[in-house]
Amino acid sequence: MELCIQVEHLTKRFQTQIAVNQLSFEVKKGEIFGILGHNGAGKTTTIEMLLGLQNPDEGKIRLLKKDGASIDKIIFERIGVQLQASSYQNNIRVRELCEEMASLYQDPADYHELLEQFELSPFAHHFVAHLSQGERQKLSILLALLPKPEMLFLDEATTGLDAAARRAVWDRLLLWKEKGTTILLTTHYMEEAAYLCDRILLLKQGNAIMEGTVADIAKGFASLEEAYLHYMEVTKL
Ligand SMILES: Nc1ncnc2c1ncn2[C@@H]1O[C@H](COP(=O)(O)OP(=O)(O)OP(=O)(O)O)[C@@H](O)[C@H]1O
């Protein structure tokens, strides 16, 4: 079994606050792994450390079999990243942004096809700044897919999408998974986690409180959401 991500005892402090505390987990090649937790649980900080955007205070990271938190050019070509706080240049059109981003990769996906798949073709000539929140969100996922990534990081990727668009994105992601892409995502939507994730990690105040399949976690509860609320409430740290 090949591992794409190995994290051991990852810890991040901001002043006196411990944002991520001794976090350890592994993500296998080809799986969709979800990190769930309340606002401020440490999900984005964890992803940012994996991507080398934040320096951990403690712990080890192995990404695509390479040590260290820094993303070199080879790793960069193999991963796709969608972050919550993506901001784009002013006065750039959707098509121009796609071209600019595609030029960073040796063998990018065809962005025209992706625009079609995400129902963004009608906006190709629009300024990114004029897109609706949901359209911009879909664009950020599309851009993450440009490298034809082996490994995809999605931080609350479907927040702001309507129900049909969200479902369409889920099905797209499952197709990428079928092609072998490993996905690490965060979400506040339990339905999304249940639909997509092979395994889930529950994070509370930076601590892992449970990890397993949706069935493992939801066992004994009416739904994943019921289980989530229960474990978040009762787990003492
Ligand atoms: N640069 C920073 N400086 C100080 N505190 C920070 C910084 N970045 C994050 N934090 C704090 O660390 C904690 C974890 O933040 P993080 O963004 O990882 O949470 P999250 O689980 O992604 O939350 P959300 O679901 O709201 O996006 C929060 O309490 C946050 O305020």
Side-chain angles (χ1 to χ4, degrees):
M1 175 204 52
E2 195 175 322
L3 295 175
C4 280
I5 300 178
Q6 288 167 276
V7 169
E8 280 175 39
H9 306 296
L10 199 60
T11 298
K12 179 72 185 174
R13 298 182 195 90
F14 293 112
Q15 293 88 39
T16 53
Q17 182 191 4
I18 302 182
V20 175
N21 189 25
Q22 297 291 322
L23 184 62
S24 300
F25 64 89
E26 292 176 339
V27 180
K28 295 174 211 144
K29 185 173 166 50
E31 75 176 343
I32 302 185
F33 187 83
I35 304 181
L36 307 187
H38 57 85
N39 292 130
K43 304 178 296 296
T44 299
T45 306
T46 300
I47 290 190
E48 289 184 348
M49 286 192 283
L50 289 172
L51 296 172
L53 301 173
Q54 300 261 13
N55 291 322
D57 292 306
E58 287 173 43
K60 275 195 205 159
I61 294 170
R62 268 175 82 78
L63 200 62
L64 296 171
K65 294 187 180 164
K66 292 196 105 189
D67 276 324
S70 59
I71 304 286
D72 62 18
K73 175 75 180 153
I74 296 165
I75 296 278
F76 170 80
E77 284 273 344
R78 297 166 63 192
I79 65 170
V81 178
Q82 173 275 331
L83 292 175
Q84 270 182 66
S86 298
S87 54
Y88 305 111
Q89 297 154 250
N90 285 329
N91 299 326
I92 191 162
R93 293 175 196 270
V94 169
R95 185 183 48 77
E96 291 165 344
L97 180 61
C98 291
E99 264 168 22
E100 194 175 288
M101 297 297 284
S103 73
L104 300 174
Y105 304 105
Q106 277 181 3
D107 179 26
D110 179 348
Y111 73 80
H112 299 98
E113 249 175 53
L114 289 174
L115 286 169
E116 278 293 316
Q117 288 172 9
F118 283 85
E119 297 181 344
L120 289 172
S121 298
F123 305 99
H125 297 285
H126 290 211
F127 284 111
V128 173
H130 294 168
L131 296 178
S132 75
Q133 191 202 333
E135 290 155 0
R136 195 187 285 237
Q137 196 71 10
K138 286 197 285 184
L139 181 63
S140 72
I141 303 169
L142 178 159
L143 295 174
L145 292 169
L146 276 179
K148 296 189 207 157
E150 269 175 64
M151 168 103 236
L152 185 58
F153 292 87
L154 301 170
D155 195 5
E156 296 182 31
T158 63
T159 297
L161 296 189
D162 66 60
R166 185 176 300 153
R167 187 57 70 100
V169 167
W170 295 351
D171 290 334
R172 283 278 142 221
L173 294 177
L174 288 176
L175 288 176
W176 281 86
K177 173 190 154 79
E178 264 174 37
K179 287 196 249 177
T181 300
T182 306
I183 301 175
L184 184 146
L185 61 83
T186 74
T187 181
H188 288 296
Y189 301 116
M190 296 300 133
E191 197 194 348
E192 176 165 301
Y195 195 84
L196 290 177
C197 294
D198 297 300
R199 286 188 306 124
I200 287 171
L201 174 80
L202 299 189
L203 204 57
K204 181 176 177 183
Q205 292 165 19
N207 295 273
I209 57 169
M210 199 165 189
E211 190 187 316
T213 62
V214 173
D216 289 338
I217 292 174
K219 198 169 173 191
F221 295 90
S223 64
L224 179 62
E225 180 154 307
E226 292 300 320
Y228 170 86
L229 292 171
H230 172 81
Y231 289 120
M232 284 292 158
E233 179 69 19
V234 301
T235 308
K236 295 268 184 291
L237 296 174

